[in-house]
Amino acid sequence: MVVLSKYGYVVLTGVASMVMIGHLALKVGQARKKYNVPYPQMYSDDTETGNIFNCIQRAHQNTLESYPAFLFCLAIGGLHYPCLTSGLGVVWIISREVYAHGYSTGDPKKRIRGAFGNVALLGMMLTTLEFGRQLLGCTGPQTWSFVRQPCSTQ
């Protein structure tokens, strides 16, 4: 197997995702200090400020819960569809920041603003599924042929 040079986009998207994870972790650390929630306590039971800390912490934890699936689809789907998978990955990363920003207000309903990332992750799952199908030699319509085009015209 030959790795396409465009796989560099996938690598950079992976690095960007690590920056996003670090940013969300930093926000949790800052909230721990601000709301006096010591390690290893996961949640705050403070009646006045506990909800805000818990929302900030949950935004990070929820992102970590889906991170393995994201990384798997990015790495594997990106082998065959590097530009599409990378683009979807960037959308997912942005959505997690939007999700965390909304959630950190203390109003869990505002986290829904970042739900568009679920569509991006689904697209990444489909690129991975299609790559697996092609590796197995399954025949069928070439519905994904348009994404094999170069990322740019240059």
Side-chain angles (χ1 to χ4, degrees):
M1 174 191 268
V2 176
V3 176
L4 301 172
S5 64
K6 302 290 186 192
Y7 197 76
Y9 292 120
V10 174
V11 173
L12 295 176
T13 302
V15 171
S17 75
M18 291 186 289
V19 170
M20 179 269 301
I21 292 290
H23 176 247
L24 297 184
L26 181 66
K27 291 180 67 90
V28 173
Q30 291 170 336
R32 281 189 177 282
K33 290 178 185 172
K34 182 176 181 178
Y35 300 114
N36 196 29
V37 181
Y39 288 103
Q41 191 174 330
M42 287 286 287
Y43 297 102
S44 174
D45 55 6
D46 186 294
T47 56
E48 290 184 30
T49 60
N51 185 57
I52 294 175
F53 172 79
N54 293 342
C55 287
I56 294 168
Q57 193 277 344
R58 274 299 304 148
H60 180 242
Q61 186 174 350
N62 181 264
T63 300
L64 291 175
E65 290 165 0
S66 60
Y67 198 48
F70 167 80
L71 289 175
F72 177 78
C73 291
L74 181 67
I76 303 303
L79 285 170
H80 200 60
Y81 300 106
C83 295
L84 176 61
T85 305
S86 181
L88 291 168
V90 168
V91 171
W92 185 82
I93 292 166
I94 293 168
S95 79
R96 296 317 299 177
E97 285 286 352
V98 172
Y99 176 91
H101 180 74
Y103 212 165
S104 67
T105 63
D107 180 2
K109 291 179 183 176
K110 291 183 179 177
R111 75 188 192 281
I112 300 304
R113 295 174 182 162
F116 62 92
N118 295 330
V119 176
L121 186 57
L122 176 61
M124 293 173 72
M125 290 172 167
L126 291 173
T127 64
T128 305
L129 177 70
E130 177 65 10
F131 182 41
R133 186 188 75 80
Q134 289 185 17
L135 285 173
L136 292 172
C138 296
T139 58
Q142 294 296 319
T143 56
W144 291 76
S145 60
F146 70 94
V147 298
R148 292 295 300 202
Q149 301 301 315
C151 295
S152 68
T153 57
Q154 298 178 346

